[in-house]
Amino acid sequence: MTKRQTGDRLEPGTVVRAALELLDEKGLEALSTRAVADRLGVRMNTVLWHVKTKARMLELMADAVLGEVPFDGLPASADLRARELVRRYRRALLTHRDGAALVVGTYAAEPHHLRLAETLVAALLDSGLDEREAAWTTWTVIYFTLGLTQEQQAAEQQPLDDRLANAVSSTIHPALHRVLDHLSPGTFDDRFEYGLASILGGR
């Protein structure tokens, strides 16, 4: 637990670490600058001095999450490098409660975001895509990963039920009824790999 010691100098990084701890413990909805201040034992104005606004704090938190994506040991092959990088991105999101929702809710042109984007775009360019294809494929795979991971984390925080199965009728929704067994929340890893292969093709 991050706790500011008497005489310690409060820095933006300390605020972000405390905010991430609160995120992991209580979730995104419970996060506020006041809650972070209480955790650090300081006034809320002190926290705002370092992060300015809650929106800015969330941007810094999102960038810190992406800072946990490792870049060492990536495959030499551009195709495999792109796939592995996206897998590592997803794992970083899953490391923190509501990690995907946090990142979805921000638009942070921050160092770790830019490093991830640069590395992924470079891999796609090296694999033979032109500039537009590389840019748009990056957006597509990022949005897919964020969306699926956000759904997965939401499912993990609430009991699974049979609402979908109970709502789908074999007569009114025959197509959905046929594929219902493949829409199970327990298939997130397989669905991620399928989607990743669909977007990146043979890469």
Side-chain angles (χ1 to χ4, degrees):
M1 175 177 176
T2 297
K3 205 60 172 169
R4 179 171 171 265
Q5 301 297 321
T6 303
D8 285 354
R9 181 180 178 184
L10 189 65
E11 297 177 339
T14 307
V15 174
V16 170
R17 285 192 296 274
L20 286 173
E21 289 175 358
L22 277 172
L23 177 73
D24 291 338
E25 292 175 10
K26 299 184 178 181
L28 191 57
E29 289 188 3
L31 193 65
S32 68
T33 53
R34 182 176 299 280
V36 174
D38 289 345
R39 187 179 192 87
L40 291 168
V42 299
R43 295 183 178 180
M44 186 171 68
N45 285 346
T46 303
V47 169
L48 292 175
W49 174 262
H50 292 282
V51 296
K52 308 307 179 189
T53 64
K54 179 182 177 181
R56 179 57 180 158
M57 182 178 73
L58 293 176
E59 289 179 351
L60 294 172
M61 291 171 63
D63 198 53
V65 170
L66 266 63
E68 297 172 10
V69 176
F71 290 84
D72 57 300
L74 286 169
S77 163
D79 298 337
L80 297 178
R81 188 162 71 248
R83 284 175 180 264
E84 177 59 21
L85 188 61
V86 179
R87 291 186 184 108
R88 295 182 184 189
Y89 172 58
R90 177 172 176 258
R91 286 197 292 269
L93 297 174
L94 287 169
T95 298
H96 294 279
R97 179 175 176 178
D98 294 332
L102 169 68
V103 175
V104 164
T106 63
Y107 185 85
E110 300 295 326
H112 297 305
H113 278 74
L114 295 176
R115 185 183 184 191
L116 177 72
E118 169 69 19
T119 307
L120 181 54
V121 169
L124 294 173
L125 288 172
D126 289 346
S127 73
L129 298 187
D130 64 29
E131 286 81 0
R132 188 183 75 166
E133 289 174 324
W136 288 5
T137 299
T138 296
W139 283 120
T140 302
V141 76
I142 291 295
Y143 289 149
F144 160 71
T145 304
L146 284 170
L148 184 67
T149 307
Q150 188 171 6
E151 180 186 343
Q152 178 177 353
Q153 291 185 309
E156 290 171 349
Q157 293 173 32
Q158 58 189 9
L160 300 178
D161 55 39
D162 298 322
R163 275 180 293 178
L164 180 60
N166 293 334
V168 172
S169 164
S170 59
T171 54
I172 302 174
H173 318 103
L176 277 175
H177 189 266
R178 284 180 59 186
V179 304
L180 194 57
D181 289 343
H182 302 288
L183 300 177
S184 166
T187 60
F188 285 112
D189 289 345
D190 291 338
R191 286 157 60 186
F192 170 74
E193 289 297 332
Y194 179 85
L196 189 61
S198 298
I199 296 168
L200 297 181
R203 283 178 283 281

